[in-house]
Amino acid sequence: MTARTRAIPASSLLPRLWLALAALIFVSLTLAAHAQERTVRVGYQKYGTLVLLKGRGTLEPRLKALGYRVQWSEFPSGPPLMEALNAGAVDFGSAGETPPIFAQAASDALAYVAHEPAAPKGEAILVPKASPIQSVSDLRGKKVALNKGSNVHYLLVRAIEAAGLSLSDITPVYLAPADARAAFERGAVDAWVIWDPYFAAAEAGGNARVLADGTGLVPNHQFYLSSKSFAAENGPALDAIVAAIAEVDAWAKDNTDAVAKELAPSVGIPAPILSVALKRQTYGIRPLDEAVTKEQQRIADTFHGLKLVPKTVDIAGAVRKPGS
């Protein structure tokens, strides 16, 4: 049997051709849009405004409108985040006062974008409750755990200076927070210098006593930083990030209990403990003014004088001007 071929009218082919052409155009435009879309790589830590911003998802639409997508990367503390910024692995992140200084000493890549107001009660030197150590001067000859190059490194320096001691009078034991807590709890170190929320968690554990916090010693600012190259080429995107942080900050300031509940699963610390830490935190992101810049320079000069950083660094020269 021979199959018969029936001709398809041209009028019925046209709609199909138009649909195929439209689909091809749509795919082409979509691929072109993705090709033109740029990525902002944001480094964050388990605790702080950036992890809250990530969870709320409000940055993505702001940047999408400017042709960017967001890639998030988690870091255990400020020093490795700053190393990643120097290496070009992230474009934006936050850290306390000291990590950016160590990063500047290693490279000229970093730019200060903004800061949070001082929060001196958010970090402290802890000793076991039963410890005979009653003052900072009693730390002479003792082992003190801390995260090297972190914001609490400067707290320790200032505290022992105020007590008439020097770094050579103690034995610093450089450990990340989790390892430091373990060493503190088993008595392998005599004191622990730490920041919130680990500070609040140690207090809640019942075996920690505050020897001194940052009050009268250090401001404990939180800085937002970028690379100079990213800041120079992506000013509108950077301004959008700052605006998104400001928006979350304004909400968080008056909703610390809600923030604690939101952060607790990712941080791994119960919400009531986080609430204590959040109430010691400060809010209100703003550009660096002359006073904050000078204070950061003082910290940099102190670490250079102690030979903890190999060269002088220029803070003012690394401060980004708003809108630039």
Side-chain angles (χ1 to χ4, degrees), residues 165-195:
L165 304 178
S166 67
L167 281 176
S168 61
D169 291 318
I170 65 166
T171 302
V173 180
Y174 297 122
L175 296 169
D179 294 331
R181 179 167 184 170
F184 180 78
E185 290 179 344
R186 69 173 183 267
V189 296
D190 302 291
W192 179 26
V193 199
I194 190 60
W195 62 89

Side-chain angles (χ1 to χ4, degrees), residues 45 75-84 94-96 99-100 103 147 149-151 195:
Q45 299 177 50
F75 292 83
S77 61
L81 199 162
M82 293 297 98
E83 288 175 14
S94 65
N147 199 81
S150 67
N151 55 330
W195 62 89

Side-chain angles (χ1 to χ4, degrees), residues 57-136:
T58 54
L59 179 60
E60 282 78 358
R62 281 180 181 270
L63 289 179
K64 186 174 180 61
L66 298 174
Y68 294 82
R69 66 184 185 91
V70 184
Q71 178 181 311
W72 298 90
S73 298
E74 183 183 307
F75 292 83
S77 61
L81 199 162
M82 293 297 98
E83 288 175 14
L85 194 63
N86 267 352
V90 297
D91 303 307
F92 185 86
S94 65
E97 296 153 331
T98 307
I101 290 169
F102 279 78
Q104 281 186 273
S107 170
D108 191 37
L110 178 148
Y112 291 84
V113 177
H115 79 286
E116 302 276 5
K121 292 184 179 295
E123 57 183 12
I125 302 172
L126 305 179
V127 294
K129 272 193 174 178
S131 171
I133 298 170
Q134 297 298 320
S135 67
V136 175

